[in-house]
Amino acid sequence: MDHQAVRPAIVVHGGAGGSRSEEDGCVSAARLGMDAMPQGALAAATAAVAALEDDGRYNAGSGSVLCLDGRTIEMDAAVMDSKGMLGAVACIQRVKNPVLVARAVAATPHWLLAGEGAERFARIAGFVPHYHASERAKKKHAELVKRLGGTSPATPGVANAAFSQYWNYALPQAFATDDGCDTVGAVARDAEGNFAAACSTGGSAPSLLGRVGDTPIIGSGFYAGPEGAVAVTGIGEHIVRRLLAHTVYQWLASGMPMDEALAHGLALFPQEIDIGIIAVSRSESGARSNRDMPRAEVSP
Ligand code: GLY
């Protein structure tokens, strides 16, 4: 392909199951990403996700949900581009922008750092300690406590009692958390024809300590290659079983039109599972979800 002819594009989302009234944050993030596009697709996608982490209305970074103990915040994030950059963090605590730590991991000999090691790496890389339990997270936490005490499953297909049975927090059991599994993400195509994906999440609630979903797992929550980039949102336990991001990427790489590939991706899941997908290919971009999903697409 004549790289001179490539039109840059960026698509971002604020999580399947989120409110489209919060779409203004996605628009701002996409514009910030486009501002960074001269530095390449990876810089653009990373800048957009960092902005979504800072927004506070999405389940990532400063808006991350509280874990079941009502205190811990564990976050996951990842970045990948079609030139071979790949970095991720899982269950990282006390950082403001997990996606920037994931970007820093991409410069190390490893692709994924988790837990205490990820946090210690963040300090060495210059990220200062940061803990922020937002009012939104505290309110949702209180609501989830109530739901866990009821008979209706807080997570589709999972008995509420499982979280009590396998309780693994240091603090004694005191149900309180946020109900949700939203994620933020961005995919970008730059003027050189390179692609990148970035994503970040505060994880799902309710969940046990140390739980990792799809967001930092290559091919599940994100994928970027020579034919495009894909980022997804939804319940990680379901997404990883379908390797959703790579599955959609392969459909796009084989020439399937964008709308069809995204629709096929959603159709892999039962309706009660929240799923959203964003993608860019050589000639198209798109976003699709089976719930409301704040999103934005920007091209120059
Ligand atoms: N998709 C976010 C998660 O399952 O953690």
Side-chain angles (χ1 to χ4, degrees), residues 48-280:
V49 168
L52 292 165
E53 289 178 335
D54 288 342
D55 185 290
R57 290 176 293 174
Y58 310 111
N59 178 18
S62 298
S64 292
V65 298
L66 293 167
C67 289
L68 270 177
D69 64 356
R71 187 175 299 181
T72 309
I73 295 175
E74 290 187 322
M75 299 166 286
D76 305 329
V79 300
M80 182 177 188
D81 76 4
S82 53
K83 296 197 281 189
M85 293 302 283
L86 172 64
V89 289
C91 292
I92 192 168
Q93 298 189 34
R94 292 172 287 271
V95 293
K96 182 166 171 281
N97 290 108
V99 76
L100 299 183
V101 185
R103 176 67 186 81
V105 170
T108 74
H110 307 301
W111 80 274
L112 169 64
L113 294 177
E116 185 188 345
E119 186 178 343
R120 289 169 70 92
F121 165 77
R123 302 290 168 257
I124 289 162
F127 296 93
V128 298
H130 178 89
Y131 174 88
H132 177 70
S134 69
E135 289 310 312
R136 169 186 180 271
K138 288 179 194 165
K139 182 167 171 276
K140 287 191 151 204
H141 178 147
E143 287 165 5
L144 186 60
V145 173
K146 278 193 200 150
R147 288 188 63 195
L148 283 169
T151 51
S152 168
T155 297
V158 179
N160 290 345
F163 299 101
S164 158
Q165 182 182 356
Y166 299 114
W167 182 266
N168 65 347
Y169 291 89
L171 287 175
Q173 202 170 129
F175 279 152
T177 182
D178 168 17
D179 127 83
C181 204
D182 42 339
T183 306
V184 301
V187 290
R189 177 180 66 224
D190 67 27
E192 303 296 317
N194 302 306
F195 298 97
C199 46
S200 182
T201 185
S204 76
S207 68
L208 299 170
L209 188 66
R211 178 264 184 192
V212 178
D214 58 298
T215 301
I217 305 300
I218 183 172
S220 292
F222 65 95
Y223 194 78
E227 300 300 329
V230 182
V232 313
T233 162
I235 301 178
E237 281 75 2
H238 294 270
I239 291 168
V240 295
R241 286 173 165 79
R242 297 289 187 176
L243 290 174
L244 181 58
H246 190 251
T247 300
V248 172
Y249 172 81
Q250 282 188 306
W251 288 333
L252 292 171
S254 72
M256 189 183 283
M258 178 68 67
D259 275 352
E260 202 178 323
L262 299 184
H264 272 44
L266 294 185
L268 293 172
F269 300 89
Q271 186 55 34
E272 64 268 24
I273 306 301
D274 296 5
I275 297 291
I277 312 170
I278 58 173
V280 283

